[in-house]
Amino acid sequence: MLVAAALRCFDPHTAVDPLTGVVREDPHAGRASEADLAALEHALRLAEALGGRCVAVTVGGARADGMLREALAAGAHAVLRAEGPGHDGAATARTLHRALLARHGAPDVVVCGDRSPDHGTGSTPAFLAARLGAAQALGLLELSPGRQGTLHAVRRLDGGRRERLRVPLPAVCSVEAGGVRLRRAALPAVLAARRAGVPVLAVAPPAGAQQVRTVAVRPYRPRPKELPAVAGGTARERMLELTGTFVPPAVARVVRAEDPVLAVDELLAFLRTHGYLKEGGR
Amino acid sequence: MSDPMFDVVVVGAGPAGSAAALTAARAGRSVALVERGPHPGSKNVYGGVVYGRVLDELVPRWWEQMPVQRWVTRRSTMVMTDRQALTVDVRAQAWGGPPYNGATALRADLDGWLADLAQEAGAVLVPSTVATGLLRAADGTVRGVRTDRPDGELSAGVVIACDGVNSFLAKEAGLFGGRTGARHTSLGVKETLALPREVIEERFALRGRDGLDMEILGCTRGIPGGGFLYTNLDSLSVGVVVGLDGLAACGVRPEELLADLKAHPSIAPLVRGAELKEYSAHLLPEGGYDTMPELAGDGILVAGDAAAMCLAAGVWLEGVNFAIGAGMYAGRAAAEALARGDTSRSGLAGYRRLLEDSFVLADHRKLRRAPGLVFSERMQQRYPALLCDLAEEFFRVDNPRPKPGLRRLLRRGAAAHGVRLHHLLSDALTAWRSFG
């Protein structure tokens, strides 16, 4: 059983000069995000529970060695740094996949952080799952061994709800920060890791193959608010009604109802007044 | 006790710690450098001046490697009141070439560079690890440190405590002799203000990598302390340093003092339009020579801020160079003591001798009265106002009235500000003894 923790090293203090575009990086500040640290902890726990090996792998330069040594100190059996294309999720997944196959074979489980803080899209796990032919589960809060060679996962849904998943193997799971914290490494392990070498594997870019490429990145633009169409009247009247030009602004009203029943009545009356609830509706 | 894991354990990867680790590692000793932050410099507050002469010995041709923002070619000392300012401005273009007098640098860069040198020399950096206490042999000799990690005991022949202004290790070792408290501690607050490089060069009359180091007196509403302004490549470091006692007694928030300074007529044009990038605060040991702890105990040395090696002497505000010097001599003394097989207090006494023979303790001893003079009420409140009034009156042209003489102006100003002749003589004598 091979459990891989796919980590990303980033610099939280990278600054870009808005005029010249010069990027200023702190060579000492590279580290894993909270989500990636949670992914490593999940990977370590899975490897322990399943009697397997945990490998921490990343795509990046020598700056990532410190992060990998931390993984080694925390209990990873091996680490691997891949040097190769990593400009987007697809390229990163390809490089990770190639490096893992070449050095350790196909992993049974890959655990990733849900997204990196440096404009990460969270797409790498999906591309990785596609390459491995593995199941994918994302946005996980919990991850543990399940019955009959599966994983048990809990995923966050909107509205505070949770979804329980049974994930077949092989699987690529991306976890959110906050579920778990990376264990504190013992001092002897830290000392050993500081002296350990980090194996590096160079992965060549694909030769002429058709790849999904990012051709443009634009600022986030939220979708326009949908308003119900206004019926009747002239075009001017419909426009005025849509824009609410002559409608006096609603004044905030603070209601302090001592009785909960009165409070509920007040809320229902408000909803009916503003058309959110039909008269007599529940 | 079994064989120690390291010859030397250095606690704190600041300038003192890294210099100590570098020196001991170069002497062939196994060294662990324990750092609380995730990387050296990660928790420091600094945008200040490094005076590089001490580095000549530690890193030959250091100016070719050190992460420098600007070379200091202008040094200004400004005294100010609410509405006046008087500046002594020294420009020495020779300081802008090798071997360089001083440079502005950022601590995150500087500490990382020094720690890298120590690691290249063989020291093992142990980041994100707090030294929580001392390990002792049966006879009380320090034999290592306890850390906050599981199985976190690091045994060593010598511990060098460079763990900053609140050195719990030096206190636990009894080197402060029971002296504690905030009396000789100052609080520095600093803002990093971003400005385009060309604007900085235009406003401060600089060019290329030239830089300005400005020290300010009289900007702290009478609270003992001072201010500073340093130019970085594309940012300014502006701040005030005030004594904790005075700050607490006055009930003023330090950011108000900083806002006052930035709004002062002589400073506001310099920082106009700058964008606030960082606000930070840090404690500084500014008591000088008389507040230093014992520098060596059985199996332990103390250096840098942990040993109160910060000099606040008016025109000289230094700390990093003393820390580097003290760390270097601590590493050397530890290696020599280990070679002799005697790491007792007397075996480590060479550390103090090395410091006494160098600028570190020589300057501190010579300027031991300077902090008292600089932080005195007269120096903080009356003299800045007296000097500013004197300069204002002297340079005022009141034709057709005859020009007043300097003696008359001085007498009038001294009377107006409650400065007696014997005060002037006494302070002049103290200043002469300190700086003369």
Side-chain angles (χ1 to χ4, degrees):
Chain A
M1 173 71 71
L2 180 65
V3 183
L7 310 176
R8 179 172 175 81
C9 182
F10 81 105
D11 175 4
H13 303 300
T14 298
V16 181
D17 188 315
L19 295 179
T20 63
V22 172
V23 179
R24 185 179 183 276
E25 290 182 325
D26 183 349
H28 302 281
R31 62 180 178 83
S33 68
E34 293 299 316
D36 279 8
L37 295 176
L40 177 59
E41 178 61 31
H42 278 300
L44 291 168
R45 289 183 186 182
L46 285 176
E48 284 167 7
L50 299 171
R53 299 178 73 240
C54 174
V55 177
V57 59
T58 190
V59 178
R63 200 177 60 163
D65 286 356
M67 179 188 76
L68 292 177
R69 287 201 176 93
E70 278 183 36
L72 214 50
H77 295 89
V79 294
L80 176 61
R81 177 161 65 81
E83 285 188 344
H87 50 273
D88 59 22
T92 305
R94 177 185 175 278
T95 306
L96 284 172
H97 181 232
R98 290 285 173 97
L100 276 171
L101 283 186
R103 185 58 67 105
H104 297 284
D108 300 287
V109 183
V110 179
V111 193
C112 316
D114 60 343
R115 68 183 61 198
S116 60
D118 52 344
H119 305 293
T121 60
S123 62
T124 302
F127 284 112
L128 202 51
R131 286 193 166 271
L132 288 166
Q136 194 205 357
L138 65 161
L140 304 182
L141 296 170
E142 296 175 21
L143 186 62
S144 56
R147 283 177 295 179
Q148 299 167 345
T150 61
L151 299 177
H152 173 77
V154 175
R155 178 159 65 174
R156 185 201 299 276
L157 296 179
D158 289 344
R161 286 171 292 186
R162 298 287 185 269
E163 185 178 48
R164 295 185 179 281
L165 304 173
R166 184 176 298 137
V167 187
L169 298 181
V172 176
C173 303
S174 40
V175 300
E176 291 189 359
V180 295
R181 280 177 153 261
L182 180 63
R183 64 195 64 183
R184 187 99 171 116
L187 189 59
V190 173
L191 293 173
R194 300 298 297 185
R195 296 185 179 111
V198 173
V200 182
L201 194 76
V203 176
Q210 292 293 314
Q211 297 286 319
V212 176
R213 292 191 184 282
T214 305
V215 290
V217 178
R218 288 189 221 153
Y220 173 66
R221 176 182 280 178
R223 285 184 296 181
K225 186 179 175 185
E226 288 184 16
L227 294 173
V230 181
T234 64
R236 179 175 177 278
E237 286 166 348
R238 291 199 298 275
M239 180 63 73
L240 287 176
E241 190 170 343
L242 272 174
T243 55
T245 303
F246 296 121
V247 179
V251 179
R253 191 161 64 93
V254 179
V255 179
R256 293 187 181 83
E258 293 178 2
D259 186 350
V261 176
L262 292 177
V264 169
D265 288 345
E266 187 71 35
L267 285 170
L268 289 174
F270 176 87
L271 295 173
R272 287 191 188 103
T273 305
H274 291 83
Y276 296 109
L277 197 64
K278 288 180 183 168
E279 200 63 40
R282 297 173 64 83
Chain B
M1 187 173 273
S2 57
D3 283 346
M5 298 157 72
F6 290 92
D7 293 329
V8 180
V9 167
V10 182
V11 180
S18 291
L22 173 59
T23 311
R26 278 185 184 160
R29 295 293 162 186
S30 61
V31 181
L33 179 57
V34 181
E35 166 58 30
R36 190 173 55 153
H39 59 86
S42 59
K43 60 181 180 52
N44 289 106
V45 173
Y46 189 72
V49 182
V50 181
Y51 299 103
R53 284 290 65 76
V54 65
L55 282 168
D56 292 345
E57 191 175 345
L58 195 65
V59 189
R61 301 187 71 81
W62 53 271
W63 54 85
E64 292 172 356
Q65 316 167 32
M66 196 177 96
V68 165
Q69 290 284 306
R70 287 179 181 274
W71 302 108
V72 175
T73 54
R74 275 184 70 191
R75 290 196 65 178
S76 297
T77 299
M78 177 186 283
V79 291
M80 63 164 57
T81 65
D82 293 345
R83 55 189 174 78
Q84 300 159 301
L86 172 66
T87 306
V88 176
D89 188 15
V90 179
R91 179 187 281 273
Q93 213 54 41
W95 292 347
Y100 297 101
N101 180 53
T104 56
L106 305 178
R107 271 291 287 275
D109 300 341
L110 180 77
D111 288 14
W113 172 68
L114 274 172
D116 282 349
L117 292 178
Q119 288 185 87
E120 284 166 19
V124 178
L125 178 68
V126 187
S128 303
T129 303
V130 181
T132 54
L134 295 170
L135 295 177
R136 291 178 186 270
D139 62 353
T141 303
V142 174
R143 280 288 170 260
V145 293
R146 197 175 294 116
T147 72
D148 64 340
R149 286 191 180 273
D151 302 328
E153 294 191 346
L154 266 176
S155 55
V158 178
V159 171
I160 302 179
C162 307
D163 49 338
V165 58
N166 262 331
S167 177
F168 294 108
L169 296 185
K171 286 173 188 164
E172 188 182 332
L175 299 178
F176 277 95
R179 280 181 288 130
T180 54
R183 191 165 160 231
H184 298 292
T185 308
S186 297
L187 176 73
V189 289
K190 187 201 79 174
E191 284 184 4
T192 303
L193 304 171
L195 270 179
R197 188 174 173 167
E198 303 76 38
V199 175
I200 290 176
E201 287 167 10
E202 194 177 323
R203 280 188 193 172
F204 294 92
L206 305 169
R207 73 186 167 179
R209 298 294 289 272
D210 291 353
L212 165 71
D213 158 16
M214 181 187 284
E215 318 292 353
I216 306 164
L217 202 61
C219 59
T220 53
R221 298 193 195 176
I223 304 171
F228 59 85
L229 188 154
Y230 306 126
T231 54
N232 303 315
L233 211 52
D234 49 12
S235 64
L236 307 175
S237 299
V238 186
V240 293
V241 179
V242 284
L244 278 186
D245 280 355
L247 189 66
C250 195
V252 177
R253 294 187 64 83
E255 62 265 30
E256 293 174 36
L257 299 175
L258 190 48
D260 281 0
L261 178 63
K262 289 198 301 175
H264 191 276
S266 63
I267 301 295
L270 303 176
V271 300
R272 188 181 65 244
E275 182 190 353
L276 177 63
K277 302 296 283 186
E278 180 187 84
Y279 180 88
S280 44
H282 207 271
L283 291 177
L284 302 157
E286 295 203 317
Y289 187 83
D290 293 331
T291 63
M292 284 184 188
E294 288 182 54
L295 299 174
D298 289 324
I300 185 169
L301 298 172
V302 57
D305 273 6
M309 289 171 176
C310 188
L311 185 66
V315 291
W316 288 302
L317 298 176
E318 302 173 46
V320 169
N321 49 344
F322 287 107
I324 292 172
M328 183 172 73
Y329 295 126
R332 190 176 298 170
E336 287 170 0
L338 286 163
R340 287 195 306 272
D342 179 8
T343 57
S344 65
R345 183 186 300 258
S346 59
L348 291 168
Y351 174 47
R352 182 157 193 116
R353 282 195 295 276
L354 287 168
L355 292 178
E356 298 270 8
D357 293 342
S358 75
F359 74 103
V360 178
L361 282 189
D363 283 359
H364 269 103
R365 194 173 47 246
K366 182 180 171 189
L367 297 165
R368 66 196 300 173
R369 291 190 184 86
L373 176 68
V374 171
F375 292 136
S376 68
E377 183 264 346
R378 285 196 294 278
M379 192 61 86
Q380 290 287 323
Q381 296 188 49
R382 300 188 193 200
Y383 290 161
L386 171 61
L387 285 171
C388 287
D389 279 354
L390 194 62
E392 185 179 334
E393 292 297 322
F394 188 72
F395 288 107
R396 188 200 302 269
V397 177
D398 271 350
N399 295 342
R401 288 197 302 179
K403 291 182 175 25
L406 196 56
R407 190 188 306 169
R408 188 175 141 206
L409 288 176
L410 180 61
R411 203 164 50 230
R412 201 162 66 191
H417 294 287
V419 175
R420 302 285 180 82
L421 183 62
H422 69 270
H423 292 152
L424 279 171
L425 289 174
S426 156
D427 291 336
L429 188 63
T430 308
W432 177 253
R433 281 179 180 162
S434 298
F435 302 109

